[in-house]
Amino acid sequence: MSNEGKLNLFNLKDPKIKTLHVTWFAFFLTFVVWFSHAPLMVFIKEAFNLTTPQVKALLILNVALTIPARIVIGMLVDKFGPRIVYSGLLVISSFICVGFAMATSYEALALFRFLLGFVGAGFVIGIRLVGEWFPAKQVGVAEGIYGGWGNFGSAAGAMTLPTIALLFGGDDGWRYALGLTGVIAGIYGLFFYTAARNTPKGSTYFKPKKTGGLEVTTKGDFYFYLLMNVPMYAALGVLAWKLSPAGVGLLTEQTMQIMWIALIALFAFQTNAIYKVNKENLTHGVPDLEKYKFKQVAILDVAYFVTFGSELAVVSMLPLFFLETFEGLDPVKAGLLASGFAFMNLVARPTGGFFSDKFGRRKSLMFLIGGLAIGYFTLGHIDSNWWIPVAVIATMCCSFFVQAGEGAVFAIVPLVKRRMTGQIAGMAGAYGNVGAVTYLTVLSFVDYSTFFYVISASAAVIFLACWFIDEPKGQMAEVMPDGSVHLIDVE
């Protein structure tokens, strides 16, 4: 790799390096806050005398709001810029986090946990910000560092929060530990507003012509876009079902049905909003220079479905998998063995971005998703006869391809259409959560081996879909406020 393509992460005098560090740490804090309850659930369960179904309901509620939140946050980022949106998200989330820490009833716990799903949308904001600051030859590895180091927030929280709770001591130690994460996030939100800038000095921050949905450039892409929205609503419908008496029993049958009707109405409303955004394009057409192919977005969506979606699903079940597969393991050891999957984020995601910058976007994405398919197929063969170190190595190898694949996906996202990067990132991010809901629903019906085989088979199908993604070439066009056309290199 040429010297100009390398990143010196210690050169804090370089504004883009400073921006990268300020941004990945903001994402890191969102993941600490988002998953702060998980390592403290033992204390919470005891304090409120929760049943196992109630605990499961909290886990489901934690991810429910993230699907629509990533779409909404994507729109807000493209309209108002990452600086104010990230700051606002961190500050608002800090109050919700403190509210969760101070909850005195299960209903309050459930409400604040549901609202904290919104902080999971923070990821989308930094994708647009990093894409603004780094050129195409560096954007893959920069986005990989942002995603990988930020994602580590959940693991860092798991390692530190129980100790912090014990240091505070007493029956309310867990409350202070949770509240502390919220306070830190709020303070950092204010710092972020002073430290971050939307673009390098002299650059233009391009905004969508209209808000309410992605702009598409052909009638075929319009209908394709509507079709790609269906799985997100279906996933929310499944979440409502899992909270009903058929699942964990938090909602009544009638409430679930009301939620389903509301989702149908919301889909109709969004469809109308998307039509209004695209009416002029569909009626009068779009200049060739401004066109892009929606299939690029759709393929990135399904690629993130199988990468991040499977990661979220597997991280939540892996400790139990090790515990039930190998005799003699206690919950602590099983958790430590399973943590290797999340630890790979620190290096795997930046490596995926590096591969994409170095060897080509399409080729890297196909290679990594192909490796992911083989990795999960291998995990499906693990049984009690395996030597535990070999099982852990197989898990970590699979994890590498999963998280490097995530890096490869978001190495392409900023190169599709600059003014809509937030919305494109939001849709891909939402598909990651759709994948998690899908795979965890599958797991509720099948054994562990079949679960891994299902992920492997879906990855094989998505591997074939990636064949049809176009390698970003040449330049993308954006219209300046004065009407002139600005060209941005994408290779």
Side-chain angles (χ1 to χ4, degrees), residues 214-216 221 224-225 228 292-304 409 412-413 416-417 420-421 423-429 431 469-470:
L214 279 174
E215 298 167 32
V216 293
D221 280 355
F224 194 5
Y225 177 26
M228 288 297 292
Y292 78 98
K293 294 177 181 177
F294 181 76
K295 73 170 185 179
Q296 299 286 92
V297 179
I299 294 170
L300 293 173
D301 290 347
V302 295
Y304 210 60
V409 168
I412 304 173
V413 165
V416 178
K417 198 66 179 168
M420 296 186 298
T421 296
Q423 292 178 79
I424 294 168
M427 192 169 182
Y431 256 82
I469 201 167
D470 294 332

PDB file of all heavy atoms in Angstrom, residues 214-216 221 224-225 228 292-304 409 412-413 416-417 420-421 423-429 431 469-470:
ATOM      1  N   LEU A 214     -35.178   7.598   0.794  1.00  0.00           N
ATOM      2  CA  LEU A 214     -34.081   7.674  -0.172  1.00  0.00           C
ATOM      3  C   LEU A 214     -34.580   8.179  -1.517  1.00  0.00           C
ATOM      4  O   LEU A 214     -35.682   7.826  -1.953  1.00  0.00           O
ATOM      5  CB  LEU A 214     -33.459   6.289  -0.378  1.00  0.00           C
ATOM      6  CG  LEU A 214     -32.449   5.762   0.634  1.00  0.00           C
ATOM      7  CD1 LEU A 214     -32.095   4.321   0.299  1.00  0.00           C
ATOM      8  CD2 LEU A 214     -31.191   6.616   0.634  1.00  0.00           C
ATOM      9  N   GLU A 215     -33.769   8.982  -2.172  1.00  0.00           N
ATOM     10  CA  GLU A 215     -34.051   9.329  -3.566  1.00  0.00           C
ATOM     11  C   GLU A 215     -33.575   8.166  -4.433  1.00  0.00           C
ATOM     12  O   GLU A 215     -32.469   7.664  -4.253  1.00  0.00           O
ATOM     13  CB  GLU A 215     -33.293  10.590  -3.963  1.00  0.00           C
ATOM     14  CG  GLU A 215     -33.658  11.830  -3.170  1.00  0.00           C
ATOM     15  CD  GLU A 215     -32.661  12.954  -3.403  1.00  0.00           C
ATOM     16  OE1 GLU A 215     -32.108  13.035  -4.521  1.00  0.00           O
ATOM     17  OE2 GLU A 215     -32.413  13.733  -2.471  1.00  0.00           O
ATOM     18  N   VAL A 216     -34.423   7.714  -5.351  1.00  0.00           N
ATOM     19  CA  VAL A 216     -34.024   6.708  -6.332  1.00  0.00           C
ATOM     20  C   VAL A 216     -34.128   7.329  -7.714  1.00  0.00           C
ATOM     21  O   VAL A 216     -34.732   8.386  -7.897  1.00  0.00           O
ATOM     22  CB  VAL A 216     -34.881   5.429  -6.225  1.00  0.00           C
ATOM     23  CG1 VAL A 216     -34.614   4.706  -4.927  1.00  0.00           C
ATOM     24  CG2 VAL A 216     -36.374   5.747  -6.352  1.00  0.00           C
ATOM     25  N   ASP A 221     -36.158   0.929  -9.585  1.00  0.00           N
ATOM     26  CA  ASP A 221     -35.513   1.087  -8.276  1.00  0.00           C
ATOM     27  C   ASP A 221     -36.514   1.536  -7.214  1.00  0.00           C
ATOM     28  O   ASP A 221     -36.385   1.182  -6.037  1.00  0.00           O
ATOM     29  CB  ASP A 221     -34.371   2.108  -8.368  1.00  0.00           C
ATOM     30  CG  ASP A 221     -33.108   1.500  -8.964  1.00  0.00           C
ATOM     31  OD1 ASP A 221     -33.105   0.281  -9.210  1.00  0.00           O
ATOM     32  OD2 ASP A 221     -32.127   2.250  -9.179  1.00  0.00           O
ATOM     33  N   PHE A 224     -38.270  -1.560  -6.133  1.00  0.00           N
ATOM     34  CA  PHE A 224     -37.253  -2.373  -5.441  1.00  0.00           C
ATOM     35  C   PHE A 224     -37.061  -1.842  -4.016  1.00  0.00           C
ATOM     36  O   PHE A 224     -36.997  -2.604  -3.044  1.00  0.00           O
ATOM     37  CB  PHE A 224     -35.953  -2.314  -6.236  1.00  0.00           C
ATOM     38  CG  PHE A 224     -34.916  -3.343  -5.848  1.00  0.00           C
ATOM     39  CD1 PHE A 224     -35.177  -4.344  -4.902  1.00  0.00           C
ATOM     40  CD2 PHE A 224     -33.655  -3.326  -6.439  1.00  0.00           C
ATOM     41  CE1 PHE A 224     -34.215  -5.282  -4.556  1.00  0.00           C
ATOM     42  CE2 PHE A 224     -32.691  -4.257  -6.100  1.00  0.00           C
ATOM     43  CZ  PHE A 224     -32.972  -5.231  -5.150  1.00  0.00           C
ATOM     44  N   TYR A 225     -37.004  -0.526  -3.883  1.00  0.00           N
ATOM     45  CA  TYR A 225     -36.836   0.123  -2.584  1.00  0.00           C
ATOM     46  C   TYR A 225     -38.009  -0.194  -1.660  1.00  0.00           C
ATOM     47  O   TYR A 225     -37.830  -0.543  -0.482  1.00  0.00           O
ATOM     48  CB  TYR A 225     -36.681   1.632  -2.812  1.00  0.00           C
ATOM     49  CG  TYR A 225     -36.565   2.493  -1.574  1.00  0.00           C
ATOM     50  CD1 TYR A 225     -36.066   1.998  -0.361  1.00  0.00           C
ATOM     51  CD2 TYR A 225     -36.920   3.843  -1.625  1.00  0.00           C
ATOM     52  CE1 TYR A 225     -35.952   2.812   0.759  1.00  0.00           C
ATOM     53  CE2 TYR A 225     -36.804   4.667  -0.508  1.00  0.00           C
ATOM     54  CZ  TYR A 225     -36.325   4.141   0.675  1.00  0.00           C
ATOM     55  OH  TYR A 225     -36.211   4.952   1.786  1.00  0.00           O
ATOM     56  N   MET A 228     -37.715  -3.687  -0.386  1.00  0.00           N
ATOM     57  CA  MET A 228     -36.659  -3.856   0.616  1.00  0.00           C
ATOM     58  C   MET A 228     -37.057  -3.315   1.984  1.00  0.00           C
ATOM     59  O   MET A 228     -36.401  -3.603   2.982  1.00  0.00           O
ATOM     60  CB  MET A 228     -35.368  -3.181   0.143  1.00  0.00           C
ATOM     61  CG  MET A 228     -34.665  -3.893  -0.996  1.00  0.00           C
ATOM     62  SD  MET A 228     -34.087  -5.559  -0.567  1.00  0.00           S
ATOM     63  CE  MET A 228     -32.794  -5.174   0.609  1.00  0.00           C
ATOM     64  N   TYR A 292     -27.671   6.626  -9.672  1.00  0.00           N
ATOM     65  CA  TYR A 292     -26.974   5.532  -8.993  1.00  0.00           C
ATOM     66  C   TYR A 292     -27.906   4.330  -9.004  1.00  0.00           C
ATOM     67  O   TYR A 292     -29.111   4.461  -9.241  1.00  0.00           O
ATOM     68  CB  TYR A 292     -26.591   5.914  -7.557  1.00  0.00           C
ATOM     69  CG  TYR A 292     -27.736   5.840  -6.565  1.00  0.00           C
ATOM     70  CD1 TYR A 292     -27.910   4.725  -5.746  1.00  0.00           C
ATOM     71  CD2 TYR A 292     -28.683   6.871  -6.469  1.00  0.00           C
ATOM     72  CE1 TYR A 292     -28.972   4.637  -4.854  1.00  0.00           C
ATOM     73  CE2 TYR A 292     -29.740   6.791  -5.574  1.00  0.00           C
ATOM     74  CZ  TYR A 292     -29.878   5.675  -4.773  1.00  0.00           C
ATOM     75  OH  TYR A 292     -30.927   5.583  -3.903  1.00  0.00           O
ATOM     76  N   LYS A 293     -27.367   3.147  -8.777  1.00  0.00           N
ATOM     77  CA  LYS A 293     -28.179   1.925  -8.822  1.00  0.00           C
ATOM     78  C   LYS A 293     -28.577   1.512  -7.412  1.00  0.00           C
ATOM     79  O   LYS A 293     -27.715   1.292  -6.565  1.00  0.00           O
ATOM     80  CB  LYS A 293     -27.395   0.803  -9.506  1.00  0.00           C
ATOM     81  CG  LYS A 293     -27.113   1.077 -10.978  1.00  0.00           C
ATOM     82  CD  LYS A 293     -26.278  -0.039 -11.598  1.00  0.00           C
ATOM     83  CE  LYS A 293     -25.988   0.261 -13.068  1.00  0.00           C
ATOM     84  NZ  LYS A 293     -25.114  -0.791 -13.684  1.00  0.00           N
ATOM     85  N   PHE A 294     -29.875   1.390  -7.167  1.00  0.00           N
ATOM     86  CA  PHE A 294     -30.344   0.999  -5.841  1.00  0.00           C
ATOM     87  C   PHE A 294     -29.905  -0.420  -5.485  1.00  0.00           C
ATOM     88  O   PHE A 294     -29.818  -0.760  -4.299  1.00  0.00           O
ATOM     89  CB  PHE A 294     -31.875   1.120  -5.750  1.00  0.00           C
ATOM     90  CG  PHE A 294     -32.408   0.748  -4.393  1.00  0.00           C
ATOM     91  CD1 PHE A 294     -32.279   1.616  -3.315  1.00  0.00           C
ATOM     92  CD2 PHE A 294     -32.997  -0.486  -4.171  1.00  0.00           C
ATOM     93  CE1 PHE A 294     -32.738   1.271  -2.048  1.00  0.00           C
ATOM     94  CE2 PHE A 294     -33.466  -0.848  -2.906  1.00  0.00           C
ATOM     95  CZ  PHE A 294     -33.330   0.033  -1.841  1.00  0.00           C
ATOM     96  N   LYS A 295     -29.599  -1.241  -6.494  1.00  0.00           N
ATOM     97  CA  LYS A 295     -29.147  -2.602  -6.181  1.00  0.00           C
ATOM     98  C   LYS A 295     -27.895  -2.574  -5.307  1.00  0.00           C
ATOM     99  O   LYS A 295     -27.668  -3.493  -4.512  1.00  0.00           O
ATOM    100  CB  LYS A 295     -28.880  -3.400  -7.458  1.00  0.00           C
ATOM    101  CG  LYS A 295     -27.611  -2.993  -8.210  1.00  0.00           C
ATOM    102  CD  LYS A 295     -27.264  -3.961  -9.329  1.00  0.00           C
ATOM    103  CE  LYS A 295     -25.931  -3.583  -9.972  1.00  0.00           C
ATOM    104  NZ  LYS A 295     -25.538  -4.505 -11.050  1.00  0.00           N
ATOM    105  N   GLN A 296     -27.081  -1.513  -5.433  1.00  0.00           N
ATOM    106  CA  GLN A 296     -25.902  -1.377  -4.581  1.00  0.00           C
ATOM    107  C   GLN A 296     -26.323  -1.353  -3.106  1.00  0.00           C
ATOM    108  O   GLN A 296     -25.736  -2.022  -2.255  1.00  0.00           O
ATOM    109  CB  GLN A 296     -25.143  -0.080  -4.912  1.00  0.00           C
ATOM    110  CG  GLN A 296     -24.623   0.036  -6.330  1.00  0.00           C
ATOM    111  CD  GLN A 296     -23.420  -0.842  -6.596  1.00  0.00           C
ATOM    112  OE1 GLN A 296     -23.561  -1.980  -7.041  1.00  0.00           O
ATOM    113  NE2 GLN A 296     -22.240  -0.335  -6.321  1.00  0.00           N
ATOM    114  N   VAL A 297     -27.370  -0.561  -2.815  1.00  0.00           N
ATOM    115  CA  VAL A 297     -27.876  -0.434  -1.450  1.00  0.00           C
ATOM    116  C   VAL A 297     -28.468  -1.761  -0.986  1.00  0.00           C
ATOM    117  O   VAL A 297     -28.206  -2.226   0.131  1.00  0.00           O
ATOM    118  CB  VAL A 297     -28.939   0.682  -1.365  1.00  0.00           C
ATOM    119  CG1 VAL A 297     -29.488   0.799   0.058  1.00  0.00           C
ATOM    120  CG2 VAL A 297     -28.354   2.014  -1.822  1.00  0.00           C
ATOM    121  N   ALA A 298     -29.260  -2.395  -1.851  1.00  0.00           N
ATOM    122  CA  ALA A 298     -29.942  -3.647  -1.481  1.00  0.00           C
ATOM    123  C   ALA A 298     -28.942  -4.753  -1.154  1.00  0.00           C
ATOM    124  O   ALA A 298     -29.115  -5.503  -0.182  1.00  0.00           O
ATOM    125  CB  ALA A 298     -30.863  -4.089  -2.620  1.00  0.00           C
ATOM    126  N   ILE A 299     -27.881  -4.862  -1.943  1.00  0.00           N
ATOM    127  CA  ILE A 299     -26.880  -5.914  -1.699  1.00  0.00           C
ATOM    128  C   ILE A 299     -26.120  -5.641  -0.408  1.00  0.00           C
ATOM    129  O   ILE A 299     -25.833  -6.562   0.369  1.00  0.00           O
ATOM    130  CB  ILE A 299     -25.916  -6.045  -2.906  1.00  0.00           C
ATOM    131  CG1 ILE A 299     -26.685  -6.563  -4.132  1.00  0.00           C
ATOM    132  CG2 ILE A 299     -24.759  -6.998  -2.576  1.00  0.00           C
ATOM    133  CD1 ILE A 299     -25.894  -6.496  -5.428  1.00  0.00           C
ATOM    134  N   LEU A 300     -25.807  -4.371  -0.142  1.00  0.00           N
ATOM    135  CA  LEU A 300     -25.150  -4.025   1.118  1.00  0.00           C
ATOM    136  C   LEU A 300     -26.066  -4.329   2.304  1.00  0.00           C
ATOM    137  O   LEU A 300     -25.604  -4.772   3.365  1.00  0.00           O
ATOM    138  CB  LEU A 300     -24.758  -2.550   1.120  1.00  0.00           C
ATOM    139  CG  LEU A 300     -23.667  -2.149   0.121  1.00  0.00           C
ATOM    140  CD1 LEU A 300     -23.479  -0.636   0.103  1.00  0.00           C
ATOM    141  CD2 LEU A 300     -22.343  -2.837   0.433  1.00  0.00           C
ATOM    142  N   ASP A 301     -27.374  -4.122   2.124  1.00  0.00           N
ATOM    143  CA  ASP A 301     -28.343  -4.442   3.185  1.00  0.00           C
ATOM    144  C   ASP A 301     -28.294  -5.923   3.553  1.00  0.00           C
ATOM    145  O   ASP A 301     -28.183  -6.284   4.726  1.00  0.00           O
ATOM    146  CB  ASP A 301     -29.771  -4.085   2.737  1.00  0.00           C
ATOM    147  CG  ASP A 301     -30.011  -2.587   2.651  1.00  0.00           C
ATOM    148  OD1 ASP A 301     -29.168  -1.824   3.159  1.00  0.00           O
ATOM    149  OD2 ASP A 301     -31.034  -2.189   2.062  1.00  0.00           O
ATOM    150  N   VAL A 302     -28.383  -6.784   2.537  1.00  0.00           N
ATOM    151  CA  VAL A 302     -28.427  -8.224   2.838  1.00  0.00           C
ATOM    152  C   VAL A 302     -27.068  -8.724   3.313  1.00  0.00           C
ATOM    153  O   VAL A 302     -26.985  -9.677   4.107  1.00  0.00           O
ATOM    154  CB  VAL A 302     -28.941  -9.054   1.634  1.00  0.00           C
ATOM    155  CG1 VAL A 302     -30.393  -8.704   1.339  1.00  0.00           C
ATOM    156  CG2 VAL A 302     -28.081  -8.874   0.393  1.00  0.00           C
ATOM    157  N   ALA A 303     -25.983  -8.069   2.848  1.00  0.00           N
ATOM    158  CA  ALA A 303     -24.650  -8.444   3.330  1.00  0.00           C
ATOM    159  C   ALA A 303     -24.522  -8.130   4.822  1.00  0.00           C
ATOM    160  O   ALA A 303     -23.933  -8.906   5.589  1.00  0.00           O
ATOM    161  CB  ALA A 303     -23.567  -7.719   2.532  1.00  0.00           C
ATOM    162  N   TYR A 304     -25.087  -7.005   5.253  1.00  0.00           N
ATOM    163  CA  TYR A 304     -25.035  -6.654   6.682  1.00  0.00           C
ATOM    164  C   TYR A 304     -26.015  -7.499   7.485  1.00  0.00           C
ATOM    165  O   TYR A 304     -25.795  -7.755   8.671  1.00  0.00           O
ATOM    166  CB  TYR A 304     -25.312  -5.160   6.869  1.00  0.00           C
ATOM    167  CG  TYR A 304     -24.612  -4.587   8.080  1.00  0.00           C
ATOM    168  CD1 TYR A 304     -23.217  -4.629   8.189  1.00  0.00           C
ATOM    169  CD2 TYR A 304     -25.321  -3.999   9.114  1.00  0.00           C
ATOM    170  CE1 TYR A 304     -22.570  -4.102   9.292  1.00  0.00           C
ATOM    171  CE2 TYR A 304     -24.677  -3.468  10.228  1.00  0.00           C
ATOM    172  CZ  TYR A 304     -23.299  -3.530  10.312  1.00  0.00           C
ATOM    173  OH  TYR A 304     -22.657  -3.021  11.418  1.00  0.00           O
ATOM    174  N   VAL A 409     -18.534  -4.127   4.110  1.00  0.00           N
ATOM    175  CA  VAL A 409     -19.827  -3.521   3.752  1.00  0.00           C
ATOM    176  C   VAL A 409     -19.741  -1.999   3.873  1.00  0.00           C
ATOM    177  O   VAL A 409     -20.088  -1.253   2.946  1.00  0.00           O
ATOM    178  CB  VAL A 409     -20.969  -4.054   4.648  1.00  0.00           C
ATOM    179  CG1 VAL A 409     -22.230  -3.213   4.472  1.00  0.00           C
ATOM    180  CG2 VAL A 409     -21.262  -5.508   4.342  1.00  0.00           C
ATOM    181  N   ILE A 412     -17.969   0.359   1.446  1.00  0.00           N
ATOM    182  CA  ILE A 412     -18.661   0.705   0.197  1.00  0.00           C
ATOM    183  C   ILE A 412     -19.742   1.754   0.427  1.00  0.00           C
ATOM    184  O   ILE A 412     -19.992   2.602  -0.432  1.00  0.00           O
ATOM    185  CB  ILE A 412     -19.279  -0.566  -0.445  1.00  0.00           C
ATOM    186  CG1 ILE A 412     -18.216  -1.634  -0.680  1.00  0.00           C
ATOM    187  CG2 ILE A 412     -19.967  -0.220  -1.772  1.00  0.00           C
ATOM    188  CD1 ILE A 412     -18.767  -2.970  -1.160  1.00  0.00           C
ATOM    189  N   VAL A 413     -20.389   1.717   1.595  1.00  0.00           N
ATOM    190  CA  VAL A 413     -21.538   2.600   1.866  1.00  0.00           C
ATOM    191  C   VAL A 413     -21.270   4.074   1.530  1.00  0.00           C
ATOM    192  O   VAL A 413     -22.095   4.718   0.864  1.00  0.00           O
ATOM    193  CB  VAL A 413     -22.014   2.444   3.334  1.00  0.00           C
ATOM    194  CG1 VAL A 413     -22.933   3.583   3.741  1.00  0.00           C
ATOM    195  CG2 VAL A 413     -22.733   1.103   3.513  1.00  0.00           C
ATOM    196  N   VAL A 416     -21.547   5.225  -2.434  1.00  0.00           N
ATOM    197  CA  VAL A 416     -22.732   5.024  -3.273  1.00  0.00           C
ATOM    198  C   VAL A 416     -23.318   6.370  -3.698  1.00  0.00           C
ATOM    199  O   VAL A 416     -23.431   6.662  -4.893  1.00  0.00           O
ATOM    200  CB  VAL A 416     -23.804   4.184  -2.533  1.00  0.00           C
ATOM    201  CG1 VAL A 416     -25.059   4.030  -3.399  1.00  0.00           C
ATOM    202  CG2 VAL A 416     -23.249   2.799  -2.180  1.00  0.00           C
ATOM    203  N   LYS A 417     -23.722   7.192  -2.738  1.00  0.00           N
ATOM    204  CA  LYS A 417     -24.272   8.529  -3.017  1.00  0.00           C
ATOM    205  C   LYS A 417     -24.040   9.381  -1.781  1.00  0.00           C
ATOM    206  O   LYS A 417     -24.680   9.179  -0.752  1.00  0.00           O
ATOM    207  CB  LYS A 417     -25.767   8.429  -3.339  1.00  0.00           C
ATOM    208  CG  LYS A 417     -26.328   9.646  -4.053  1.00  0.00           C
ATOM    209  CD  LYS A 417     -25.734   9.806  -5.446  1.00  0.00           C
ATOM    210  CE  LYS A 417     -26.315  11.017  -6.177  1.00  0.00           C
ATOM    211  NZ  LYS A 417     -25.533  11.317  -7.387  1.00  0.00           N
ATOM    212  N   MET A 420     -26.653  11.019   0.619  1.00  0.00           N
ATOM    213  CA  MET A 420     -27.584  10.098   1.279  1.00  0.00           C
ATOM    214  C   MET A 420     -26.857   9.020   2.081  1.00  0.00           C
ATOM    215  O   MET A 420     -27.441   8.002   2.432  1.00  0.00           O
ATOM    216  CB  MET A 420     -28.508   9.455   0.245  1.00  0.00           C
ATOM    217  CG  MET A 420     -29.398  10.457  -0.451  1.00  0.00           C
ATOM    218  SD  MET A 420     -30.602   9.702  -1.549  1.00  0.00           S
ATOM    219  CE  MET A 420     -29.558   8.892  -2.765  1.00  0.00           C
ATOM    220  N   THR A 421     -25.576   9.257   2.380  1.00  0.00           N
ATOM    221  CA  THR A 421     -24.790   8.242   3.090  1.00  0.00           C
ATOM    222  C   THR A 421     -25.424   7.865   4.424  1.00  0.00           C
ATOM    223  O   THR A 421     -25.447   6.689   4.808  1.00  0.00           O
ATOM    224  CB  THR A 421     -23.344   8.739   3.311  1.00  0.00           C
ATOM    225  OG1 THR A 421     -22.712   8.901   2.040  1.00  0.00           O
ATOM    226  CG2 THR A 421     -22.538   7.745   4.140  1.00  0.00           C
ATOM    227  N   GLN A 423     -28.627   7.882   5.280  1.00  0.00           N
ATOM    228  CA  GLN A 423     -29.799   7.036   5.058  1.00  0.00           C
ATOM    229  C   GLN A 423     -29.409   5.645   4.577  1.00  0.00           C
ATOM    230  O   GLN A 423     -30.014   4.643   4.979  1.00  0.00           O
ATOM    231  CB  GLN A 423     -30.733   7.696   4.039  1.00  0.00           C
ATOM    232  CG  GLN A 423     -31.383   8.969   4.549  1.00  0.00           C
ATOM    233  CD  GLN A 423     -32.251   9.621   3.495  1.00  0.00           C
ATOM    234  OE1 GLN A 423     -33.369   9.194   3.260  1.00  0.00           O
ATOM    235  NE2 GLN A 423     -31.738  10.655   2.850  1.00  0.00           N
ATOM    236  N   ILE A 424     -28.405   5.569   3.704  1.00  0.00           N
ATOM    237  CA  ILE A 424     -27.945   4.261   3.216  1.00  0.00           C
ATOM    238  C   ILE A 424     -27.343   3.458   4.375  1.00  0.00           C
ATOM    239  O   ILE A 424     -27.614   2.266   4.527  1.00  0.00           O
ATOM    240  CB  ILE A 424     -26.918   4.448   2.067  1.00  0.00           C
ATOM    241  CG1 ILE A 424     -27.609   5.087   0.854  1.00  0.00           C
ATOM    242  CG2 ILE A 424     -26.291   3.115   1.673  1.00  0.00           C
ATOM    243  CD1 ILE A 424     -26.651   5.582  -0.224  1.00  0.00           C
ATOM    244  N   ALA A 425     -26.545   4.131   5.208  1.00  0.00           N
ATOM    245  CA  ALA A 425     -25.976   3.471   6.384  1.00  0.00           C
ATOM    246  C   ALA A 425     -27.078   3.052   7.346  1.00  0.00           C
ATOM    247  O   ALA A 425     -27.019   1.974   7.957  1.00  0.00           O
ATOM    248  CB  ALA A 425     -24.987   4.405   7.085  1.00  0.00           C
ATOM    249  N   GLY A 426     -28.094   3.897   7.494  1.00  0.00           N
ATOM    250  CA  GLY A 426     -29.209   3.580   8.384  1.00  0.00           C
ATOM    251  C   GLY A 426     -29.969   2.353   7.935  1.00  0.00           C
ATOM    252  O   GLY A 426     -30.329   1.492   8.751  1.00  0.00           O
ATOM    253  N   MET A 427     -30.206   2.254   6.629  1.00  0.00           N
ATOM    254  CA  MET A 427     -30.945   1.102   6.109  1.00  0.00           C
ATOM    255  C   MET A 427     -30.125  -0.177   6.253  1.00  0.00           C
ATOM    256  O   MET A 427     -30.645  -1.220   6.669  1.00  0.00           O
ATOM    257  CB  MET A 427     -31.305   1.339   4.648  1.00  0.00           C
ATOM    258  CG  MET A 427     -32.324   0.345   4.101  1.00  0.00           C
ATOM    259  SD  MET A 427     -32.954   0.857   2.491  1.00  0.00           S
ATOM    260  CE  MET A 427     -34.147  -0.470   2.203  1.00  0.00           C
ATOM    261  N   ALA A 428     -28.827  -0.107   5.930  1.00  0.00           N
ATOM    262  CA  ALA A 428     -27.969  -1.283   6.094  1.00  0.00           C
ATOM    263  C   ALA A 428     -27.884  -1.674   7.568  1.00  0.00           C
ATOM    264  O   ALA A 428     -27.979  -2.862   7.914  1.00  0.00           O
ATOM    265  CB  ALA A 428     -26.570  -0.997   5.532  1.00  0.00           C
ATOM    266  N   GLY A 429     -27.724  -0.679   8.430  1.00  0.00           N
ATOM    267  CA  GLY A 429     -27.665  -0.956   9.868  1.00  0.00           C
ATOM    268  C   GLY A 429     -28.937  -1.594  10.376  1.00  0.00           C
ATOM    269  O   GLY A 429     -28.902  -2.531  11.191  1.00  0.00           O
ATOM    270  N   TYR A 431     -30.942  -3.426   8.670  1.00  0.00           N
ATOM    271  CA  TYR A 431     -30.949  -4.811   8.183  1.00  0.00           C
ATOM    272  C   TYR A 431     -30.097  -5.723   9.059  1.00  0.00           C
ATOM    273  O   TYR A 431     -30.375  -6.924   9.172  1.00  0.00           O
ATOM    274  CB  TYR A 431     -30.486  -4.872   6.718  1.00  0.00           C
ATOM    275  CG  TYR A 431     -31.638  -5.069   5.758  1.00  0.00           C
ATOM    276  CD1 TYR A 431     -32.410  -3.999   5.346  1.00  0.00           C
ATOM    277  CD2 TYR A 431     -31.985  -6.334   5.300  1.00  0.00           C
ATOM    278  CE1 TYR A 431     -33.488  -4.171   4.489  1.00  0.00           C
ATOM    279  CE2 TYR A 431     -33.057  -6.528   4.446  1.00  0.00           C
ATOM    280  CZ  TYR A 431     -33.806  -5.440   4.037  1.00  0.00           C
ATOM    281  OH  TYR A 431     -34.874  -5.635   3.203  1.00  0.00           O
ATOM    282  N   ILE A 469     -22.970  -6.834  -7.304  1.00  0.00           N
ATOM    283  CA  ILE A 469     -22.653  -5.470  -6.885  1.00  0.00           C
ATOM    284  C   ILE A 469     -21.601  -4.890  -7.819  1.00  0.00           C
ATOM    285  O   ILE A 469     -20.710  -5.609  -8.293  1.00  0.00           O
ATOM    286  CB  ILE A 469     -22.176  -5.431  -5.410  1.00  0.00           C
ATOM    287  CG1 ILE A 469     -22.334  -4.034  -4.830  1.00  0.00           C
ATOM    288  CG2 ILE A 469     -20.722  -5.904  -5.272  1.00  0.00           C
ATOM    289  CD1 ILE A 469     -22.194  -3.965  -3.311  1.00  0.00           C
ATOM    290  N   ASP A 470     -21.729  -3.625  -8.145  1.00  0.00           N
ATOM    291  CA  ASP A 470     -20.770  -2.978  -9.047  1.00  0.00           C
ATOM    292  C   ASP A 470     -19.620  -2.392  -8.249  1.00  0.00           C
ATOM    293  O   ASP A 470     -19.835  -1.744  -7.221  1.00  0.00           O
ATOM    294  CB  ASP A 470     -21.460  -1.854  -9.840  1.00  0.00           C
ATOM    295  CG  ASP A 470     -22.515  -2.383 -10.801  1.00  0.00           C
ATOM    296  OD1 ASP A 470     -22.371  -3.541 -11.246  1.00  0.00           O
ATOM    297  OD2 ASP A 470     -23.472  -1.642 -11.100  1.00  0.00           O
TER     298      ASP A 470
END
